Amino acid sequence: PGSEVTQLIEQYDRASAARSPSEANQEAIFGQAVCSIFQNSRAGAPPVYVFYPLREGPEQAPFGFAGMALDQSFIEREFLPGLISESPGGANRGPDSELTLAVLDENNKRVYSNNDARNSYEVKTAFAPVFTKWQLAAGYGGTTIEALASDNFRKSLILTFSVLLVLMLGIGLILRATAREMRLAETKSAFVANVSHELKTPLALIRLFAETLELGRVESEQKAEEDYRIISNESRRLTQLIDNLLDFSKTEAGRKEYHFVEASLAQIVEDVLKTYRYQLVSSGFELSLEVERGLPPASVDRDALSQALLNLLDNAVKYSGEEKKIAVRVQQRGPDIALEVADRGIGIPRSEHRKIFEKFYRVGTGLVHNTKGSGLGLAVVKHIVEAHGGHVLVESRPGSGSRFTLLIPALKPLIECQKADTRIRE
Ligand code: ADP
């Protein structure tokens, strides 16, 4: 036999010996040569053989074989592309495709791939039984399973944290709303208790002194005068409290009306102090009033502004300790007229400066003060001043007194207005 036949027989023997037990029942035997014995379209490409052992009976040993060599260029150019593009995921092409399928030869070179950019694979398996020396490889386009897994992990981590954040935010909001509701409920019930007390005390005093006077049990003219003064003071306090309550409810319902007129702020202050001074002085207070000369008028609601001033004076009295001094000052400050009420009382901590203007709010009772009140006084003051286009300032430190300043915009003098008017016309 010629050398080609010898080589074929060798090839057949090698292929039958290399058969795995699982392939023992197959009729055909496949073999892939390392080097070519035939002239082939792909120079030097080893052919693939299919051998059919020839036997006389099913259990007989083969006495020879018939076979054929497969054309590799056909396999590479037509058979594999067709096979892979029909397989699931194999139809994807290009560098972005999800799944890359490739066939590698015995030197790990690509025989065929559906993705040109790919060069590392996740799994490889023998392309048996036909191409025993080749491998079928698969991987994910442009990425590895590890990268894909860590990417997925990162995405789900971000999602989990976002959900957690939203959840925590929700819980935070609910807790805040609940705390606010509780605080409001507490302040409301404290308000009811305080207002009842505020209403009852002056009424009880008025009744007591009126009865004493009625029964003529007063020892001296001076004592009678004192009793009348108490009755007048207490009824004034009652009126002020009721005014505040009515004002507050009107403001809350949006029904509060103001009647603005051009007036002198200094005059309003002097009028209020005229009626209030006697009571202050007889309760042991030293009251000073300082008014700057030639102040411009302002557009004000007299009653509302008097009420705001009375609330400030009332607080100055209520929250003064041993040092009973109240200083009222009216002066120009920039475009505004500043109305100051200063006392030397218990003062207010910095952290409370904003809250004291909230409705029902009272600085913590007990250690700070035991004075009763509705917690509406400053809320009403703030509303009145803001309705005038102004604002309220507070300067205060615990132990060194407080100064409340109402800033009300002044009206421009007529001459100045005319000047401005002509300038605009020019
Ligand atoms: P009330 O005096 O009825 O409690 P306000 O709204 O007038 O209500 O005042 C709110 C809180 O501000 C008071 O409870 C008090 O603690 C504090 N406060 C107001 N004015 C003064 C002041 N002149 N000195 C010290 N504390 C004050």
Side-chain angles (χ1 to χ4, degrees), residues 315 318-319 343 348 356 361-363 369 373-375 377-378 402:
N315 280 348
K318 278 200 298 192
Y319 304 111
D343 61 55
I348 307 157
I356 51 172
Y361 190 83
R362 310 197 67 229
V363 177
H369 65 72
S374 62
L378 289 179
S402 318

Side-chain angles (χ1 to χ4, degrees), residues 94-298:
D96 294 332
S97 76
E98 291 264 300
L99 186 68
T100 301
L101 290 174
V103 178
L104 308 174
D105 69 8
E106 59 280 359
N107 299 320
N108 240 359
K109 279 210 190 99
R110 223 163 19 191
V111 176
Y112 172 76
S113 168
N114 68 341
N115 185 347
D116 298 337
R118 182 78 222 175
N119 42 28
S120 74
Y121 303 95
E122 297 301 332
V123 279
K124 283 180 186 167
T125 175
F127 202 36
V130 185
F131 304 97
T132 48
K133 294 195 166 55
W134 287 3
Q135 283 184 308
L136 181 66
Y140 283 97
T143 180
T144 61
I145 286 186
E146 245 172 58
L148 219 64
S150 76
D151 194 44
N152 267 353
F153 177 71
R154 216 180 40 240
K155 274 186 198 154
S156 47
L157 206 71
I158 291 171
L159 197 76
T160 311
F161 270 110
S162 327
V163 170
L164 215 69
L165 205 78
V166 170
L167 216 71
M168 274 161 66
L169 213 77
I171 292 174
L173 283 179
I174 290 172
L175 285 179
R176 219 179 76 162
T178 317
R180 231 159 88 177
E181 280 297 312
M182 274 170 67
R183 213 183 88 184
L184 204 68
E186 270 171 28
T187 43
K188 270 187 179 165
S189 66
F191 167 74
V192 173
N194 286 336
V195 167
S196 319
H197 178 272
E198 287 275 280
L199 286 171
K200 261 162 75 181
T201 320
L203 272 179
L205 284 174
I206 291 169
R207 223 172 99 190
L208 177 75
F209 287 99
E211 275 172 10
T212 319
L213 287 167
E214 199 181 18
L215 295 174
R217 289 204 195 127
V218 207
E219 296 133 21
S220 64
E221 197 58 26
Q222 200 189 350
K223 182 76 179 68
E225 224 169 77
E226 173 96 339
D227 289 359
Y228 282 127
R229 191 178 57 77
I230 290 171
I231 290 175
S232 141
N233 280 346
E234 292 305 310
S235 40
R236 192 201 51 75
R237 246 181 81 185
L238 212 54
T239 313
Q240 197 182 335
L241 176 68
I242 292 166
D243 278 351
N244 272 343
L245 289 175
L246 288 178
D247 240 58
F248 173 72
S249 72
K250 272 191 200 159
T251 311
E252 287 287 284
R255 281 190 290 109
K256 171 79 185 158
E257 280 176 19
Y258 292 94
H259 303 286
F260 294 101
V261 288
E262 188 179 323
S264 151
L265 219 66
Q267 191 59 52
I268 295 173
V269 173
E270 275 162 14
D271 289 349
V272 169
L273 287 189
K274 211 180 280 170
T275 50
Y276 203 51
R277 179 183 287 275
Y278 180 71
Q279 188 201 334
L280 283 180
V281 174
S282 56
S283 332
F285 276 89
E286 206 177 285
L287 178 69
S288 69
L289 172 64
E290 208 180 291
V291 179
E292 194 180 311
R293 287 175 148 269
L295 286 174

Side-chain angles (χ1 to χ4, degrees), residues 368-380:
V368 184
H369 65 72
N370 283 317
T371 322
K372 289 278 174 195
S374 62
L376 289 183
L378 289 179
V380 168

